[in-house]
Amino acid sequence: MANSDTPFGFKPVKHLSGAPWNGKANVYYIPATDNTAMFKGDAVKSAGDADATGRFPTVTQAAAANTIRGVVIGFGDNPNVMVQADYPLRYYRPAATAMYCLVVDDPFVIFEIQEDSVGNSITAAMVGLSTDIVVGAGSTTTGKSAMELDSSDTATAAGQCKILRLVNREDNELGNHAKWEVTIIEHEMLSSADV
């Protein structure tokens, strides 16, 4: 059975320790000067500022080769009511709109993500390699990201994500649009590089 082509960005699933993901995230801010729409599952990077209170650092959508701060799991207009990641107030963040977002910024979280299958598909021999992300236009209907793994960019050296294993589900197999478990290895909390 062929894999469905249903990109959703990064979905947190568990910790490297084997413990289930506990839903923890931190609040960040996206200023109105940011002209890129953002979606649940998008990887973000630090933008080097904060909201007017100084309590909530700014982030912007990450691109291939960027060092990543974390993954967005929800949006809200007020940082003080964004207490449950499962019930965000917004599906997505429209471009040029000031908004707060919940970001899974723990570098030891494992995420599920779909490969783009452009050029080739990721094979079993590529498990343990790293690769970058591919940014796509998310859905304003579902709020889901269109970010995927770059299946033609796997390498032993540089790459934003480490490929851990194929997601073990009946509806997932090696081939086009396979879903993979990954960690973010080019992570701001693990790197001394400038952000």
Side-chain angles (χ1 to χ4, degrees):
M1 181 172 92
N3 298 316
S4 59
D5 183 9
T6 54
F8 48 83
F10 289 86
K11 181 173 77 172
V13 291
K14 59 186 170 184
H15 289 272
L16 273 174
S17 67
W21 178 61
N22 57 15
K24 297 294 184 184
N26 285 304
V27 178
Y28 288 80
Y29 180 67
I30 310 163
T33 53
D34 188 317
N35 291 316
T36 302
M38 281 194 238
F39 301 86
K40 290 183 284 183
D42 274 355
V44 293
K45 65 178 184 173
S46 292
D49 203 352
D51 74 340
T53 70
R55 295 179 180 144
F56 305 104
T58 55
V59 290
T60 188
Q61 188 183 69
N66 288 156
T67 302
I68 295 171
R69 180 63 176 210
V71 172
V72 175
I73 58 168
F75 300 93
D77 297 320
N78 183 329
N80 300 313
V81 295
M82 294 178 52
V83 293
Q84 289 189 337
D86 293 337
Y87 303 103
L89 298 177
R90 300 274 192 151
Y91 288 122
Y92 76 102
R93 181 250 175 199
T97 304
M99 197 170 286
Y100 293 90
C101 61
L102 285 169
V103 175
V104 179
D105 55 7
D106 181 346
F108 302 110
V109 170
I110 294 174
F111 296 91
E112 179 180 331
I113 186 170
Q114 177 177 290
E115 66 172 281
D116 70 345
S117 300
V118 174
N120 63 277
S121 293
I122 297 173
T123 66
M126 296 174 183
V127 169
L129 299 181
S130 61
T131 191
D132 281 337
I133 58 173
V134 175
V135 178
S139 169
T140 58
T141 303
T142 66
K144 290 182 182 177
S145 170
M147 286 188 177
E148 297 180 277
L149 284 183
D150 188 343
S151 60
S152 60
D153 190 40
T154 57
T156 56
Q160 293 165 300
C161 300
K162 172 78 74 176
I163 302 167
L164 300 179
R165 65 184 58 85
L166 185 74
V167 171
N168 187 13
R169 276 199 314 262
E170 289 297 320
D171 65 346
N172 190 47
E173 60 187 26
L174 289 170
N176 288 346
H177 312 299
K179 282 59 171 182
W180 294 91
E181 287 185 5
V182 302
T183 56
I184 297 170
I185 55 174
E186 290 184 350
H187 196 290
E188 290 180 16
M189 304 306 275
L190 296 175
S191 173
S192 60
D194 292 335
V195 293

